[in-house]
Amino acid sequence: MALDGKTAVVTGGSRGIGYAYCRRLAADGANVVVIDIDDPSDAVKTLDGGDHLGLVCDIGEPSQVDAAAAAVLDRYGRCDILVNNAGIFPIADLDHVTLELWRKVQAVNVEAILLFARAFAPGMRAAGWGRVVNTGSGITLTQNRDLVYLTSKGTVHALTRALANELGEGGITVNAIAPGLVPTEGFLGRARANGPTADEVFARVTALQTVKRPSVPADLANALAFLVSDDAAFMTAQILHVDGGVTRTGA
């Protein structure tokens, strides 16, 4: 699974699942570009080997996405592996959702994927090799009522398949990893602010799993390592649920 000479771009890469992705990609030999809304310099310093780069970018702003993509191409010439990990997950039901919030979530969770893919696909096509991995969610198969977030992740799944259809002839695979609940800083902060404690939420979810332990970021990083490798060259347009078996219940 060596990625020597490959350049990987990871959005939301300075903490949580994204940081686990960056560490694994760097350990496997890739040059890693860590993109985050907060300064990712400290995260970049911890990565093994390689020629790594940190970029501050609000991916909900198209002009900033364009600037970040241009910086990657200027330094490395192309992006071989694009990992669209960053996302936001506000809670709003039908009675309280605003059009402003709806559009913000779509911009961050969906539109940024399109913009980065548009920027990097030409280089992947020219090389005859590329990997795009998006972050979906098992929430789309549950009865969860997170209206805005659920809709955005359903769109991510559809966009993953649409991009796979378009880019496959260029030697590019496009897949999505759909995590279950992972104890990241973002989720833990959200859980404290919205009713049940994090421990209660994880206990409830773990009870639904066949693998009876909480997920950890390394579980997702291991799946990513496979999807970006040559071993997964014949796997595309797939939504890979890495959730300990929760989604088998459909509940």
Side-chain angles (χ1 to χ4, degrees):
M1 295 187 182
L3 299 176
D4 293 349
K6 304 292 187 186
T7 296
V9 172
V10 182
T11 66
S14 66
R15 64 179 186 170
I17 296 170
Y19 179 57
Y21 286 162
C22 291
R23 285 176 57 87
R24 180 58 187 265
L25 291 166
D28 286 350
N31 301 317
V32 178
V33 180
V34 185
I35 292 179
D36 208 289
I37 196 169
D38 298 317
D39 185 359
S41 299
D42 288 343
V44 171
K45 292 174 184 176
T46 68
L47 301 180
D48 294 336
D51 175 24
H52 309 309
L53 175 66
L55 295 173
V56 176
C57 176
D58 179 352
I59 66 169
E61 296 294 334
S63 62
Q64 293 192 35
V65 172
D66 291 343
V72 172
L73 296 177
D74 181 63
R75 179 153 172 169
Y76 300 101
R78 69 174 187 261
C79 166
D80 303 290
I81 299 165
L82 170 61
V83 184
N84 293 295
N85 168 73
I88 54 175
F89 38 89
I91 294 176
D93 59 23
L94 185 60
D95 292 334
H96 299 93
V97 65
T98 64
L99 194 55
E100 179 181 14
L101 177 64
W102 179 272
R103 288 173 173 168
K104 176 65 173 178
V105 174
Q106 290 293 319
V108 173
N109 292 6
V110 181
E111 292 171 13
I113 297 174
L114 178 69
L115 296 176
F116 276 117
R118 186 175 66 183
F120 295 140
M124 294 180 180
R125 285 194 183 106
W129 193 97
R131 299 288 184 266
V132 179
V133 181
N134 302 321
T135 296
S137 178
I139 195 176
T140 60
L141 299 179
T142 73
Q143 298 175 20
N144 192 290
R145 296 184 181 182
D146 285 354
L147 176 70
V148 185
Y149 179 69
L150 190 155
T151 302
S152 74
K153 288 304 181 180
T155 308
V156 169
H157 292 181
L159 179 57
T160 296
R161 295 183 173 112
L163 288 173
N165 293 342
E166 182 164 340
L167 300 176
E169 293 183 3
I172 305 165
T173 66
V174 186
N175 294 288
I177 294 175
L181 287 181
V182 185
T184 61
E185 294 175 30
F187 173 77
L188 293 175
R190 183 191 192 207
R192 286 194 297 271
N194 295 282
T197 66
D199 287 343
E200 290 170 340
V201 172
F202 279 102
R204 186 183 308 160
V205 172
T206 302
L208 297 174
Q209 297 172 187
T210 57
V211 179
K212 301 297 184 181
R213 64 162 176 82
S215 176
V216 294
D219 294 323
L220 290 309
N222 291 338
L224 176 75
F226 168 66
L227 289 176
V228 303
S229 73
D230 286 332
D231 290 339
F234 201 60
M235 182 174 178
T236 194
Q238 301 303 306
I239 313 301
L240 184 63
H241 290 270
V242 183
D243 62 5
V246 169
T247 49
R248 82 192 191 285
T249 67

